[in-house]
């Protein structure tokens, strides 16, 4: 028996618009209830309750900067965030994980600073805080220094089989850089 046949057989009440039976169907966003007399009646209803932005905890003593209402901790489709309890009248939101700023300047635009961010898959990377004007980004930890081969103003730390080594952060160069310790030579 096919997946579509399994979903089409089960009846779940009657349609509030035309009175025909409701059936479970599968769409690109998952299963949903639909009127069995489609396309004459186009009634649909999601199977799962709307979990986007539901309140997890009320943050007593913390006021919204826009409307002075209480802030709440919410669970959304992209994770936890802090939002106003008067949503949708007030649309104030705050991210819980603020990006960590480094003291290193952006080598591409020389105006911004590098921030540690997370990709949609949870992997950390470093990018310029002037995005989208500057689209500089590296996947490894940035280190202050200059490449001895191309004189690029930023190095990056990579874990190799021989241990942690420094490499040029330029995509055109990318060569390994020797670590110079003047204090150990003296």
């Amino acid at each position: 028996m096919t997946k579509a046949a399994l979903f089409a057989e089960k009846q779940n009440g009657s349609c509030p618009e035309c009175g025909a039976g409701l059936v479970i169907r599968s769409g690109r966003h998952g299963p949903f209830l639909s009127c069995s007399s489609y396309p004459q009646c186009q009634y649909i209803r999601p199977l799962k309750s709307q979990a986007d932005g539901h309140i997890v905890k009320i943050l007593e003593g913390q006021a919204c900067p826009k409307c002075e209402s209480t802030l709440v901790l919410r669970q959304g489709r992209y994770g936890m965030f802090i939002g106003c309890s008067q949503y949708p009248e007030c649309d104030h939101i705050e991210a819980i994980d603020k990006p960590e700023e480094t003291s290193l300047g952006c080598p591409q635009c020389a105006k911004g600073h590098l921030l540690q961010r997370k990709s949609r898959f949870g992997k950390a990377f470093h990018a310029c805080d002037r995005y989208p004007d500057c689209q500089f980004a590296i996947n490894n930890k940035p280190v202050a220094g200059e490449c001895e081969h191309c004189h690029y103003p930023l190095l990056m730390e990579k874990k190799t089989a021989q241990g942690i080594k420094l490499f040029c952060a330029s995509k055109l160069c990318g060569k390994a850089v020797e670590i110079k310790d003047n204090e150990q030579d003296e």
Side-chain angles (χ1 to χ4, degrees):
M1 194 177 264
T2 66
K3 187 176 179 182
L6 282 173
F7 281 128
E9 284 180 11
K10 185 166 179 169
Q11 298 290 324
N12 293 313
S14 58
C15 176
E17 292 181 7
C18 70
L22 292 177
V23 292
I24 298 174
R25 299 193 188 227
S26 183
R28 66 177 176 188
H29 299 294
F32 61 94
L33 280 174
S34 171
C35 183
S36 60
S37 63
Y38 176 84
Q40 290 80 20
C41 178
Q42 297 192 357
Y43 174 79
I44 60 169
R45 184 178 77 210
L47 270 178
K48 64 177 184 169
S49 62
Q50 197 64 20
D52 241 8
H54 75 276
I55 296 173
V56 175
K57 183 179 179 184
I58 297 172
L59 304 174
E60 297 294 334
Q62 294 188 17
C64 174
K66 284 187 177 179
C67 69
E68 299 299 319
S69 296
T70 306
L71 291 177
V72 292
L73 183 65
R74 294 180 179 266
Q75 172 68 45
R77 72 190 294 185
Y78 298 110
M80 303 287 265
F81 66 95
I82 297 172
C84 183
S85 60
Q86 298 300 315
Y87 180 81
E89 290 82 27
C90 178
D91 61 352
H92 175 75
I93 60 169
E94 299 173 11
I96 292 176
D97 296 330
K98 297 205 184 333
E100 297 175 20
E101 186 170 342
T102 63
S103 61
L104 300 173
C106 177
Q108 188 169 325
C109 68
K111 294 178 184 174
H113 292 282
L114 297 181
L115 295 175
Q116 182 179 2
R117 298 183 179 253
K118 285 193 176 180
S119 71
R120 61 183 174 169
F121 304 110
K123 187 169 174 119
F125 69 97
H126 290 80
C128 183
D129 62 357
R130 294 187 60 241
Y131 179 83
D133 295 330
C134 177
Q135 296 187 356
F136 178 80
I138 58 172
N139 289 327
N140 299 304
K141 182 180 176 187
V143 177
E146 184 177 293
C147 176
E148 54 194 40
H149 304 287
C150 68
H151 302 289
Y152 196 72
L154 186 69
L155 302 175
M156 62 184 173
E157 198 176 83
K158 281 187 182 179
K159 293 179 184 172
T160 64
Q162 293 81 29
I164 297 174
K165 294 198 173 202
L166 294 178
F167 290 86
C168 180
S170 170
K171 292 181 180 177
L172 299 174
C173 179
K175 295 181 180 175
V177 177
E178 295 294 322
I179 301 171
K180 296 179 183 177
D181 290 330
N182 293 337
E183 297 159 1
Q184 292 180 351
D185 295 337
E186 294 176 1

